[in-house]
Amino acid sequence: MDEGPGGQWIIMKINVSFVEKAVGGKLLYGSPGLLLLHMTTDSRNVPEQALFVPIKGGRMDGHQFLRNAAENGATAVLSENTALSEELHKAFPEVA
C-alpha cells in the first residue's frame, strides 16, 4: 500500500468482501466483489473507487460527511454505526 498526496489516502487493490472479512463486518448493500483502489478518511479529497472510513473524534464525527464523501467519488463506506444504514443506502446506493 502507498500513501496518496499528502498522506491523505491509501492506495490498495482489494474488494469489499475482503474488507468485510478483515473487520468482521457485514455488507449491508451492494456487491461484495466491488473493487476498491483507495481508502480515505477525508470526505473532501476522495479518489476514484475509494472506501470512505468516517472517524468519530472529539470535535467532529465523520459520519456527518457520508453524503459529501459519496458526492466526491467514494464508492463504499466502512462504518460501525449500523443505525445509519438508511442514510448509508441513500448516500451510497451501489454499496454501503
Side-chain angles (χ1 to χ4, degrees), residues 21-39:
K21 290 175 186 167
V23 301
K26 178 183 175 188
L27 179 64
L28 298 178
Y29 304 103
S31 169
L34 179 71
L35 183 64
L36 301 170
L37 300 179
H38 304 96
M39 179 179 70

Side-chain angles (χ1 to χ4, degrees), residues 1-71:
M1 289 188 213
D2 298 314
E3 288 188 8
Q8 294 178 352
W9 38 270
I10 304 294
I11 301 169
M12 59 189 180
K13 189 174 182 179
I14 60 175
N15 62 30
V16 170
S17 179
F18 178 86
V19 175
E20 179 184 22
K21 290 175 186 167
V23 301
K26 178 183 175 188
L27 179 64
L28 298 178
Y29 304 103
S31 169
L34 179 71
L35 183 64
L36 301 170
L37 300 179
H38 304 96
M39 179 179 70
T40 185
T41 59
D42 185 348
S43 66
R44 300 165 297 178
N45 182 18
V46 181
E48 278 184 38
Q49 290 180 268
L51 171 66
F52 175 61
V53 182
I55 296 176
K56 186 174 183 176
R59 295 182 315 158
M60 300 290 278
D61 183 351
H63 294 88
Q64 296 172 327
F65 305 103
L66 295 176
R67 190 169 302 277
N68 189 42
E71 289 170 355

